[in-house]
Amino acid sequence: QVQLVESGGGLVQPGGSLRLSCTASGSIFSIYAMSWYRQAPGKQHDLVATITDGGTPTYADSVKGRFTISRDTAKNTVFLQMNSLKPEDTAVYYCSAEVQNFKGTIPYDYWGQGTQVTVSS
């Protein structure tokens, strides 16, 4: 019912920057929180950043001061600006959105397919 499509991943050198985007489409009445998660090989799925429908962001300690989450509510899009990237930021990054499909229904969490970010020299 809802599709999330991420873009912007790739290979970057340590200290470099990337900007991820994720756009939701489909049966959308309202979107509440939007988030970015990441999963490195052999590691658990970790929350990177969340932004509420009111625009309040929260971050994992490991990315504070380096990553910035933002959203364009009119376009159902969330962004993740990643600066000062480190090799330990290498992972598949997934976006998630808490979506209310129709007025009066319970919101449901939807996920994108993920985009690879590799930080290496």
Side-chain angles (χ1 to χ4, degrees), residues 32 51-56 71:
Y32 297 98
I51 187 165
T52 67
D53 52 345
T56 301
R71 64 190 288 174

Side-chain angles (χ1 to χ4, degrees), residues 60-119:
D61 288 342
S62 59
V63 306
K64 282 181 181 177
R66 300 188 298 122
F67 290 10
T68 302
I69 189 170
S70 60
R71 64 190 288 174
D72 183 333
T73 301
K75 296 182 179 179
N76 294 333
T77 298
V78 63
F79 305 96
L80 186 68
Q81 178 66 44
M82 305 185 294
N83 298 328
S84 302
L85 282 161
K86 304 175 181 180
E88 51 263 44
D89 294 317
T90 295
V92 178
Y93 284 70
Y94 300 88
C95 71
S96 175
E98 185 181 12
V99 178
Q100 185 182 28
N101 297 115
F102 304 98
K103 186 177 181 179
T105 59
I106 296 173
Y108 183 79
D109 288 334
Y110 291 89
W111 293 82
Q113 297 280 16
T115 185
Q116 176 70 47
V117 171
T118 303
V119 185

